[in-house]
Amino acid sequence: MKASDADILIIPGYTNSGPSHWQSRWEAKLSTARRVEQAEWTKPVREDWIARIAEEVNASTRPVILVAHSLGVASAIHAIPHFRKPVAGAFFVAPPDVANPNIRPKHLMTFGPYPRDPLPFPSITVASRNDPFGSYEHADEIASSWGSFLVDAGEAGHINADSGHGPWPEGTMVFAQFLSRLSI
């Protein structure tokens, strides 16, 4: 599959993805990409975020590719039962441990725990060995339960602009390879 064959939904996490974040850069480069906008980025409400993602998936005219980062991963996973249109695949990056009582801000725990059912579409989960919002072991556990291929990003922090992942060429290559293996 080529990027132009799909509706690529960019699903940012808590506080959105700023202009130097890899998600914003990908959105600008990929002609069929669009951001799932949330009404409240700094005080996320699980049901609202899930509804917005489902709304965007269900409004799609082509097969959907989810590109979720951080809290966007938890939101997308919870939204799956509400999808009425096909999802061709998902690219999940830096899933936070939303069931961890030490997570800050505390209200992010309302997005946990993650469902553990196998996903109904192919996926890749990219995780860091030193992500302050979720351990690599946690990412390995949830990716395994979903049937998602886990990519070890090494010591990459939260894989965002603050950790030096603005352009993120390695992520672009993994995403391109993932897309090339998907079929419509």
Side-chain angles (χ1 to χ4, degrees):
M1 172 181 285
K2 293 184 234 169
S4 59
D5 297 331
D7 283 336
I8 299 171
L9 297 184
I10 305 292
I11 307 171
Y14 176 63
T15 73
N16 200 352
S17 294
S20 60
H21 193 286
W22 61 267
Q23 279 189 311
S24 299
R25 292 168 187 253
W26 289 14
E27 180 183 7
K29 284 183 186 176
L30 299 166
S31 64
T32 62
R34 69 181 185 273
R35 183 176 305 242
V36 176
E37 292 290 345
Q38 298 292 350
E40 184 55 67
W41 288 107
T42 59
K43 291 189 185 276
V45 176
R46 176 178 155 162
E47 294 75 22
D48 295 347
W49 278 41
I50 290 168
R52 280 292 302 128
I53 294 167
E55 183 180 312
E56 289 292 338
V57 168
N58 296 333
S60 295
T61 57
R62 294 177 281 236
V64 172
I65 305 294
L66 306 173
V67 178
H69 179 259
S70 192
L71 195 61
V73 176
S75 303
I77 291 292
H78 287 297
I80 291 170
H82 306 283
F83 295 168
R84 294 187 312 272
K85 295 278 182 89
V87 171
F91 190 79
F92 296 137
V93 179
D97 185 351
V98 289
N100 182 340
N102 296 321
I103 196 169
R104 296 291 181 267
K106 280 284 212 202
H107 67 271
L108 300 183
M109 283 186 67
T110 62
F111 285 78
Y114 287 98
R116 303 297 174 130
D117 301 324
L119 300 180
F121 44 75
S123 66
I124 285 184
T125 301
V126 181
S128 168
R129 294 272 177 181
N130 64 340
D131 188 335
F133 300 104
S135 70
Y136 184 82
E137 293 72 25
H138 175 261
D140 185 20
E141 179 189 324
I142 58 175
S144 178
S145 70
W146 298 336
S148 184
F149 182 79
L150 182 66
V151 175
D152 184 344
E155 293 194 1
H158 195 48
I159 314 176
N160 59 6
D162 290 344
S163 64
H165 295 85
W168 196 33
E170 303 86 356
T172 304
M173 290 187 304
V174 173
F175 182 65
Q177 187 174 39
F178 176 61
L179 278 181
S180 73
R181 295 180 178 189
L182 296 177
S183 58
I184 298 174

mmCIF file of all heavy atoms in Angstrom, residues 106-149:
data_model
loop_
_atom_site.group_PDB
_atom_site.id
_atom_site.type_symbol
_atom_site.label_atom_id
_atom_site.label_comp_id
_atom_site.label_asym_id
_atom_site.label_seq_id
_atom_site.Cartn_x
_atom_site.Cartn_y
_atom_site.Cartn_z
ATOM 1 N N LYS A 106 -2.661 13.084 36.924
ATOM 2 C CA LYS A 106 -3.407 11.906 37.392
ATOM 3 C C LYS A 106 -4.596 11.543 36.513
ATOM 4 O O LYS A 106 -4.925 10.375 36.371
ATOM 5 C CB LYS A 106 -3.913 12.126 38.817
ATOM 6 C CG LYS A 106 -2.877 11.898 39.870
ATOM 7 C CD LYS A 106 -2.672 10.435 40.032
ATOM 8 C CE LYS A 106 -2.306 10.073 41.443
ATOM 9 N NZ LYS A 106 -1.630 8.799 41.491
ATOM 10 N N HIS A 107 -5.282 12.555 35.945
ATOM 11 C CA HIS A 107 -6.489 12.247 35.173
ATOM 12 C C HIS A 107 -6.203 11.427 33.919
ATOM 13 O O HIS A 107 -7.117 10.870 33.323
ATOM 14 C CB HIS A 107 -7.295 13.518 34.846
ATOM 15 C CG HIS A 107 -6.628 14.469 33.912
ATOM 16 N ND1 HIS A 107 -5.796 15.461 34.349
ATOM 17 C CD2 HIS A 107 -6.684 14.574 32.578
ATOM 18 C CE1 HIS A 107 -5.357 16.138 33.309
ATOM 19 N NE2 HIS A 107 -5.884 15.626 32.221
ATOM 20 N N LEU A 108 -4.937 11.292 33.523
ATOM 21 C CA LEU A 108 -4.606 10.444 32.373
ATOM 22 C C LEU A 108 -4.869 8.971 32.674
ATOM 23 O O LEU A 108 -5.044 8.172 31.757
ATOM 24 C CB LEU A 108 -3.161 10.659 31.947
ATOM 25 C CG LEU A 108 -2.800 12.085 31.519
ATOM 26 C CD1 LEU A 108 -1.366 12.151 31.046
ATOM 27 C CD2 LEU A 108 -3.745 12.616 30.464
ATOM 28 N N MET A 109 -4.942 8.630 33.962
ATOM 29 C CA MET A 109 -5.255 7.238 34.336
ATOM 30 C C MET A 109 -6.651 6.833 33.888
ATOM 31 O O MET A 109 -6.934 5.645 33.765
ATOM 32 C CB MET A 109 -5.117 7.035 35.845
ATOM 33 C CG MET A 109 -3.677 6.923 36.307
ATOM 34 S SD MET A 109 -3.580 6.508 38.058
ATOM 35 C CE MET A 109 -4.253 4.854 38.045
ATOM 36 N N THR A 110 -7.518 7.796 33.602
ATOM 37 C CA THR A 110 -8.864 7.452 33.139
ATOM 38 C C THR A 110 -8.824 6.785 31.764
ATOM 39 O O THR A 110 -9.817 6.206 31.328
ATOM 40 C CB THR A 110 -9.780 8.698 33.074
ATOM 41 O OG1 THR A 110 -9.248 9.625 32.128
ATOM 42 C CG2 THR A 110 -9.912 9.347 34.451
ATOM 43 N N PHE A 111 -7.683 6.846 31.090
ATOM 44 C CA PHE A 111 -7.515 6.200 29.784
ATOM 45 C C PHE A 111 -7.042 4.753 29.923
ATOM 46 O O PHE A 111 -6.848 4.066 28.927
ATOM 47 C CB PHE A 111 -6.547 7.000 28.913
ATOM 48 C CG PHE A 111 -7.149 8.252 28.354
ATOM 49 C CD1 PHE A 111 -7.299 9.380 29.144
ATOM 50 C CD2 PHE A 111 -7.584 8.303 27.040
ATOM 51 C CE1 PHE A 111 -7.858 10.544 28.625
ATOM 52 C CE2 PHE A 111 -8.144 9.458 26.518
ATOM 53 C CZ PHE A 111 -8.289 10.577 27.319
ATOM 54 N N GLY A 112 -6.833 4.303 31.136
ATOM 55 C CA GLY A 112 -6.368 2.936 31.346
ATOM 56 C C GLY A 112 -7.460 2.092 31.948
ATOM 57 O O GLY A 112 -8.510 2.601 32.312
ATOM 58 N N PRO A 113 -7.221 0.833 32.070
ATOM 59 C CA PRO A 113 -6.118 0.098 31.453
ATOM 60 C C PRO A 113 -6.387 -0.154 29.971
ATOM 61 O O PRO A 113 -7.501 0.034 29.486
ATOM 62 C CB PRO A 113 -6.103 -1.207 32.242
ATOM 63 C CG PRO A 113 -7.540 -1.416 32.628
ATOM 64 C CD PRO A 113 -8.098 -0.028 32.861
ATOM 65 N N TYR A 114 -5.369 -0.599 29.275
ATOM 66 C CA TYR A 114 -5.515 -0.933 27.866
ATOM 67 C C TYR A 114 -6.296 -2.229 27.701
ATOM 68 O O TYR A 114 -6.060 -3.190 28.433
ATOM 69 C CB TYR A 114 -4.146 -1.182 27.227
ATOM 70 C CG TYR A 114 -3.318 0.054 26.999
ATOM 71 C CD1 TYR A 114 -2.323 0.429 27.899
ATOM 72 C CD2 TYR A 114 -3.493 0.820 25.856
ATOM 73 C CE1 TYR A 114 -1.539 1.548 27.668
ATOM 74 C CE2 TYR A 114 -2.714 1.941 25.625
ATOM 75 C CZ TYR A 114 -1.745 2.294 26.527
ATOM 76 O OH TYR A 114 -0.976 3.397 26.304
ATOM 77 N N PRO A 115 -7.179 -2.284 26.705
ATOM 78 C CA PRO A 115 -7.753 -3.582 26.345
ATOM 79 C C PRO A 115 -6.616 -4.501 25.876
ATOM 80 O O PRO A 115 -5.638 -4.030 25.293
ATOM 81 C CB PRO A 115 -8.694 -3.256 25.191
ATOM 82 C CG PRO A 115 -8.983 -1.802 25.319
ATOM 83 C CD PRO A 115 -7.749 -1.204 25.919
ATOM 84 N N ARG A 116 -6.744 -5.785 26.132
ATOM 85 C CA ARG A 116 -5.683 -6.740 25.778
ATOM 86 C C ARG A 116 -6.080 -7.676 24.641
ATOM 87 O O ARG A 116 -5.386 -8.633 24.364
ATOM 88 C CB ARG A 116 -5.302 -7.574 27.010
ATOM 89 C CG ARG A 116 -4.863 -6.766 28.215
ATOM 90 C CD ARG A 116 -3.610 -5.965 27.936
ATOM 91 N NE ARG A 116 -3.271 -5.093 29.043
ATOM 92 C CZ ARG A 116 -2.087 -5.032 29.588
ATOM 93 N NH1 ARG A 116 -1.115 -5.792 29.167
ATOM 94 N NH2 ARG A 116 -1.870 -4.194 30.581
ATOM 95 N N ASP A 117 -7.195 -7.391 23.988
ATOM 96 C CA ASP A 117 -7.634 -8.247 22.890
ATOM 97 C C ASP A 117 -6.728 -8.058 21.676
ATOM 98 O O ASP A 117 -6.252 -6.944 21.424
ATOM 99 C CB ASP A 117 -9.072 -7.910 22.490
ATOM 100 C CG ASP A 117 -10.040 -8.084 23.643
ATOM 101 O OD1 ASP A 117 -9.845 -9.022 24.444
ATOM 102 O OD2 ASP A 117 -10.975 -7.266 23.752
ATOM 103 N N PRO A 118 -6.529 -9.125 20.885
ATOM 104 C CA PRO A 118 -5.766 -8.966 19.641
ATOM 105 C C PRO A 118 -6.448 -7.939 18.724
ATOM 106 O O PRO A 118 -7.681 -7.875 18.653
ATOM 107 C CB PRO A 118 -5.815 -10.362 19.013
ATOM 108 C CG PRO A 118 -6.066 -11.284 20.168
ATOM 109 C CD PRO A 118 -6.926 -10.507 21.128
ATOM 110 N N LEU A 119 -5.643 -7.129 18.075
ATOM 111 C CA LEU A 119 -6.172 -6.103 17.189
ATOM 112 C C LEU A 119 -6.695 -6.730 15.899
ATOM 113 O O LEU A 119 -6.130 -7.710 15.413
ATOM 114 C CB LEU A 119 -5.098 -5.063 16.867
ATOM 115 C CG LEU A 119 -4.516 -4.322 18.069
ATOM 116 C CD1 LEU A 119 -3.467 -3.330 17.613
ATOM 117 C CD2 LEU A 119 -5.613 -3.622 18.858
ATOM 118 N N PRO A 120 -7.737 -6.137 15.321
ATOM 119 C CA PRO A 120 -8.311 -6.685 14.085
ATOM 120 C C PRO A 120 -7.594 -6.217 12.817
ATOM 121 O O PRO A 120 -8.122 -6.343 11.723
ATOM 122 C CB PRO A 120 -9.760 -6.166 14.134
ATOM 123 C CG PRO A 120 -9.664 -4.874 14.878
ATOM 124 C CD PRO A 120 -8.566 -5.082 15.897
ATOM 125 N N PHE A 121 -6.395 -5.658 12.964
ATOM 126 C CA PHE A 121 -5.610 -5.167 11.831
ATOM 127 C C PHE A 121 -4.132 -5.229 12.208
ATOM 128 O O PHE A 121 -3.785 -5.285 13.392
ATOM 129 C CB PHE A 121 -6.012 -3.732 11.458
ATOM 130 C CG PHE A 121 -6.177 -2.812 12.646
ATOM 131 C CD1 PHE A 121 -5.086 -2.299 13.331
ATOM 132 C CD2 PHE A 121 -7.450 -2.475 13.097
ATOM 133 C CE1 PHE A 121 -5.250 -1.471 14.425
ATOM 134 C CE2 PHE A 121 -7.626 -1.638 14.181
ATOM 135 C CZ PHE A 121 -6.525 -1.134 14.850
ATOM 136 N N PRO A 122 -3.233 -5.235 11.215
ATOM 137 C CA PRO A 122 -1.795 -5.259 11.517
ATOM 138 C C PRO A 122 -1.352 -3.965 12.204
ATOM 139 O O PRO A 122 -1.927 -2.892 11.955
ATOM 140 C CB PRO A 122 -1.128 -5.369 10.141
ATOM 141 C CG PRO A 122 -2.204 -5.577 9.149
ATOM 142 C CD PRO A 122 -3.513 -5.246 9.786
ATOM 143 N N SER A 123 -0.347 -4.098 13.043
ATOM 144 C CA SER A 123 0.152 -2.905 13.727
ATOM 145 C C SER A 123 1.615 -3.057 14.101
ATOM 146 O O SER A 123 2.134 -4.165 14.202
ATOM 147 C CB SER A 123 -0.672 -2.622 14.983
ATOM 148 O OG SER A 123 -0.492 -3.645 15.927
ATOM 149 N N ILE A 124 2.222 -1.906 14.309
ATOM 150 C CA ILE A 124 3.590 -1.808 14.836
ATOM 151 C C ILE A 124 3.515 -0.915 16.060
ATOM 152 O O ILE A 124 2.808 0.104 16.053
ATOM 153 C CB ILE A 124 4.546 -1.204 13.792
ATOM 154 C CG1 ILE A 124 4.870 -2.245 12.720
ATOM 155 C CG2 ILE A 124 5.812 -0.683 14.444
ATOM 156 C CD1 ILE A 124 5.879 -1.777 11.692
ATOM 157 N N THR A 125 4.218 -1.303 17.099
ATOM 158 C CA THR A 125 4.349 -0.467 18.292
ATOM 159 C C THR A 125 5.823 -0.143 18.466
ATOM 160 O O THR A 125 6.650 -1.054 18.540
ATOM 161 C CB THR A 125 3.800 -1.191 19.546
ATOM 162 O OG1 THR A 125 2.421 -1.506 19.330
ATOM 163 C CG2 THR A 125 3.939 -0.330 20.785
ATOM 164 N N VAL A 126 6.145 1.134 18.494
ATOM 165 C CA VAL A 126 7.526 1.591 18.679
ATOM 166 C C VAL A 126 7.653 2.076 20.119
ATOM 167 O O VAL A 126 6.878 2.929 20.555
ATOM 168 C CB VAL A 126 7.881 2.726 17.695
ATOM 169 C CG1 VAL A 126 9.333 3.165 17.895
ATOM 170 C CG2 VAL A 126 7.628 2.298 16.254
ATOM 171 N N ALA A 127 8.625 1.519 20.834
ATOM 172 C CA ALA A 127 8.796 1.883 22.248
ATOM 173 C C ALA A 127 10.258 2.156 22.565
ATOM 174 O O ALA A 127 11.160 1.576 21.967
ATOM 175 C CB ALA A 127 8.264 0.763 23.137
ATOM 176 N N SER A 128 10.437 3.025 23.532
ATOM 177 C CA SER A 128 11.758 3.441 23.985
ATOM 178 C C SER A 128 12.127 2.710 25.278
ATOM 179 O O SER A 128 11.258 2.349 26.069
ATOM 180 C CB SER A 128 11.718 4.954 24.224
ATOM 181 O OG SER A 128 12.859 5.394 24.917
ATOM 182 N N ARG A 129 13.407 2.551 25.491
ATOM 183 C CA ARG A 129 13.916 1.903 26.707
ATOM 184 C C ARG A 129 13.935 2.859 27.908
ATOM 185 O O ARG A 129 14.086 2.400 29.039
ATOM 186 C CB ARG A 129 15.338 1.383 26.475
ATOM 187 C CG ARG A 129 15.408 0.262 25.457
ATOM 188 C CD ARG A 129 15.214 -1.033 26.143
ATOM 189 N NE ARG A 129 15.213 -2.131 25.188
ATOM 190 C CZ ARG A 129 15.032 -3.379 25.549
ATOM 191 N NH1 ARG A 129 14.853 -3.681 26.815
ATOM 192 N NH2 ARG A 129 15.021 -4.327 24.656
ATOM 193 N N ASN A 130 13.799 4.160 27.654
ATOM 194 C CA ASN A 130 13.828 5.120 28.772
ATOM 195 C C ASN A 130 12.708 6.154 28.665
ATOM 196 O O ASN A 130 12.891 7.329 28.974
ATOM 197 C CB ASN A 130 15.200 5.797 28.878
ATOM 198 C CG ASN A 130 15.537 6.647 27.659
ATOM 199 O OD1 ASN A 130 14.973 6.482 26.587
ATOM 200 N ND2 ASN A 130 16.494 7.553 27.821
ATOM 201 N N ASP A 131 11.547 5.717 28.256
ATOM 202 C CA ASP A 131 10.383 6.598 28.151
ATOM 203 C C ASP A 131 9.899 6.916 29.568
ATOM 204 O O ASP A 131 9.566 6.006 30.325
ATOM 205 C CB ASP A 131 9.281 5.910 27.349
ATOM 206 C CG ASP A 131 8.109 6.817 27.029
ATOM 207 O OD1 ASP A 131 7.881 7.807 27.767
ATOM 208 O OD2 ASP A 131 7.410 6.529 26.046
ATOM 209 N N PRO A 132 9.824 8.194 29.930
ATOM 210 C CA PRO A 132 9.384 8.530 31.288
ATOM 211 C C PRO A 132 7.899 8.244 31.544
ATOM 212 O O PRO A 132 7.459 8.255 32.686
ATOM 213 C CB PRO A 132 9.678 10.029 31.401
ATOM 214 C CG PRO A 132 9.690 10.527 29.995
ATOM 215 C CD PRO A 132 10.187 9.379 29.154
ATOM 216 N N PHE A 133 7.133 7.960 30.490
ATOM 217 C CA PHE A 133 5.699 7.731 30.657
ATOM 218 C C PHE A 133 5.276 6.273 30.531
ATOM 219 O O PHE A 133 4.093 5.959 30.641
ATOM 220 C CB PHE A 133 4.914 8.591 29.656
ATOM 221 C CG PHE A 133 5.181 10.051 29.851
ATOM 222 C CD1 PHE A 133 6.014 10.731 28.983
ATOM 223 C CD2 PHE A 133 4.633 10.740 30.924
ATOM 224 C CE1 PHE A 133 6.288 12.076 29.168
ATOM 225 C CE2 PHE A 133 4.903 12.077 31.122
ATOM 226 C CZ PHE A 133 5.731 12.748 30.239
ATOM 227 N N GLY A 134 6.230 5.398 30.295
ATOM 228 C CA GLY A 134 5.903 3.976 30.217
ATOM 229 C C GLY A 134 7.145 3.152 29.977
ATOM 230 O O GLY A 134 7.991 3.511 29.151
ATOM 231 N N SER A 135 7.258 2.047 30.677
ATOM 232 C CA SER A 135 8.441 1.209 30.541
ATOM 233 C C SER A 135 8.401 0.402 29.241
ATOM 234 O O SER A 135 7.329 0.140 28.680
ATOM 235 C CB SER A 135 8.541 0.242 31.726
ATOM 236 O OG SER A 135 7.524 -0.743 31.644
ATOM 237 N N TYR A 136 9.573 -0.009 28.810
ATOM 238 C CA TYR A 136 9.672 -0.856 27.625
ATOM 239 C C TYR A 136 8.967 -2.190 27.884
ATOM 240 O O TYR A 136 8.297 -2.724 27.005
ATOM 241 C CB TYR A 136 11.148 -1.080 27.256
ATOM 242 C CG TYR A 136 11.289 -1.876 25.989
ATOM 243 C CD1 TYR A 136 11.176 -1.248 24.742
ATOM 244 C CD2 TYR A 136 11.514 -3.247 26.015
ATOM 245 C CE1 TYR A 136 11.285 -1.965 23.578
ATOM 246 C CE2 TYR A 136 11.623 -3.970 24.841
ATOM 247 C CZ TYR A 136 11.509 -3.330 23.631
ATOM 248 O OH TYR A 136 11.610 -4.047 22.456
ATOM 249 N N GLU A 137 9.090 -2.688 29.096
ATOM 250 C CA GLU A 137 8.449 -3.962 29.456
ATOM 251 C C GLU A 137 6.925 -3.852 29.331
ATOM 252 O O GLU A 137 6.273 -4.780 28.852
ATOM 253 C CB GLU A 137 8.846 -4.382 30.870
ATOM 254 C CG GLU A 137 10.316 -4.746 31.023
ATOM 255 C CD GLU A 137 11.274 -3.547 30.973
ATOM 256 O OE1 GLU A 137 10.858 -2.402 31.287
ATOM 257 O OE2 GLU A 137 12.444 -3.757 30.576
ATOM 258 N N HIS A 138 6.368 -2.731 29.751
ATOM 259 C CA HIS A 138 4.922 -2.512 29.614
ATOM 260 C C HIS A 138 4.533 -2.487 28.135
ATOM 261 O O HIS A 138 3.556 -3.111 27.727
ATOM 262 C CB HIS A 138 4.501 -1.217 30.304
ATOM 263 C CG HIS A 138 3.058 -0.893 30.089
ATOM 264 N ND1 HIS A 138 2.644 0.010 29.139
ATOM 265 C CD2 HIS A 138 1.940 -1.379 30.670
ATOM 266 C CE1 HIS A 138 1.318 0.067 29.154
ATOM 267 N NE2 HIS A 138 0.865 -0.761 30.070
ATOM 268 N N ALA A 139 5.298 -1.767 27.325
ATOM 269 C CA ALA A 139 5.018 -1.697 25.884
ATOM 270 C C ALA A 139 5.108 -3.085 25.254
ATOM 271 O O ALA A 139 4.274 -3.452 24.426
ATOM 272 C CB ALA A 139 5.988 -0.734 25.207
ATOM 273 N N ASP A 140 6.089 -3.855 25.661
ATOM 274 C CA ASP A 140 6.254 -5.216 25.154
ATOM 275 C C ASP A 140 5.036 -6.066 25.508
ATOM 276 O O ASP A 140 4.497 -6.802 24.669
ATOM 277 C CB ASP A 140 7.534 -5.830 25.734
ATOM 278 C CG ASP A 140 7.860 -7.194 25.172
ATOM 279 O OD1 ASP A 140 7.363 -7.548 24.084
ATOM 280 O OD2 ASP A 140 8.634 -7.920 25.825
ATOM 281 N N GLU A 141 4.575 -5.933 26.727
ATOM 282 C CA GLU A 141 3.420 -6.714 27.201
ATOM 283 C C GLU A 141 2.151 -6.377 26.418
ATOM 284 O O GLU A 141 1.438 -7.277 25.959
ATOM 285 C CB GLU A 141 3.208 -6.448 28.693
ATOM 286 C CG GLU A 141 2.035 -7.172 29.290
ATOM 287 C CD GLU A 141 1.749 -6.697 30.702
ATOM 288 O OE1 GLU A 141 2.697 -6.387 31.444
ATOM 289 O OE2 GLU A 141 0.554 -6.629 31.042
ATOM 290 N N ILE A 142 1.862 -5.086 26.252
ATOM 291 C CA ILE A 142 0.623 -4.732 25.545
ATOM 292 C C ILE A 142 0.733 -5.031 24.061
ATOM 293 O O ILE A 142 -0.225 -5.521 23.451
ATOM 294 C CB ILE A 142 0.173 -3.273 25.810
ATOM 295 C CG1 ILE A 142 1.228 -2.270 25.406
ATOM 296 C CG2 ILE A 142 -0.275 -3.092 27.240
ATOM 297 C CD1 ILE A 142 0.806 -0.825 25.523
ATOM 298 N N ALA A 143 1.897 -4.771 23.460
ATOM 299 C CA ALA A 143 2.072 -5.077 22.035
ATOM 300 C C ALA A 143 1.886 -6.570 21.788
ATOM 301 O O ALA A 143 1.239 -6.975 20.813
ATOM 302 C CB ALA A 143 3.449 -4.615 21.554
ATOM 303 N N SER A 144 2.426 -7.374 22.674
ATOM 304 C CA SER A 144 2.280 -8.832 22.538
ATOM 305 C C SER A 144 0.815 -9.240 22.611
ATOM 306 O O SER A 144 0.346 -10.054 21.812
ATOM 307 C CB SER A 144 3.091 -9.523 23.636
ATOM 308 O OG SER A 144 2.933 -10.910 23.551
ATOM 309 N N SER A 145 0.067 -8.669 23.546
ATOM 310 C CA SER A 145 -1.347 -9.036 23.676
ATOM 311 C C SER A 145 -2.147 -8.592 22.451
ATOM 312 O O SER A 145 -3.117 -9.251 22.071
ATOM 313 C CB SER A 145 -1.950 -8.451 24.958
ATOM 314 O OG SER A 145 -2.089 -7.055 24.878
ATOM 315 N N TRP A 146 -1.740 -7.499 21.813
ATOM 316 C CA TRP A 146 -2.442 -7.005 20.628
ATOM 317 C C TRP A 146 -2.038 -7.740 19.357
ATOM 318 O O TRP A 146 -2.680 -7.590 18.323
ATOM 319 C CB TRP A 146 -2.155 -5.526 20.406
ATOM 320 C CG TRP A 146 -2.597 -4.607 21.490
ATOM 321 C CD1 TRP A 146 -3.595 -4.812 22.414
ATOM 322 C CD2 TRP A 146 -2.059 -3.315 21.776
ATOM 323 N NE1 TRP A 146 -3.709 -3.732 23.242
ATOM 324 C CE2 TRP A 146 -2.778 -2.791 22.875
ATOM 325 C CE3 TRP A 146 -1.053 -2.546 21.211
ATOM 326 C CZ2 TRP A 146 -2.512 -1.544 23.419
ATOM 327 C CZ3 TRP A 146 -0.787 -1.296 21.742
ATOM 328 C CH2 TRP A 146 -1.506 -0.800 22.841
ATOM 329 N N GLY A 147 -0.933 -8.482 19.407
ATOM 330 C CA GLY A 147 -0.392 -9.083 18.189
ATOM 331 C C GLY A 147 0.347 -8.056 17.353
ATOM 332 O O GLY A 147 0.505 -8.202 16.146
ATOM 333 N N SER A 148 0.841 -7.018 18.002
ATOM 334 C CA SER A 148 1.542 -5.924 17.337
ATOM 335 C C SER A 148 3.039 -6.205 17.311
ATOM 336 O O SER A 148 3.606 -6.696 18.289
ATOM 337 C CB SER A 148 1.271 -4.622 18.115
ATOM 338 O OG SER A 148 1.839 -3.514 17.465
ATOM 339 N N PHE A 149 3.680 -5.885 16.206
ATOM 340 C CA PHE A 149 5.116 -6.050 16.090
ATOM 341 C C PHE A 149 5.792 -4.929 16.875
ATOM 342 O O PHE A 149 5.525 -3.753 16.640
ATOM 343 C CB PHE A 149 5.549 -6.009 14.617
ATOM 344 C CG PHE A 149 7.018 -6.213 14.427
ATOM 345 C CD1 PHE A 149 7.562 -7.483 14.489
ATOM 346 C CD2 PHE A 149 7.853 -5.139 14.194
ATOM 347 C CE1 PHE A 149 8.926 -7.673 14.324
ATOM 348 C CE2 PHE A 149 9.213 -5.318 14.032
ATOM 349 C CZ PHE A 149 9.757 -6.591 14.093
#
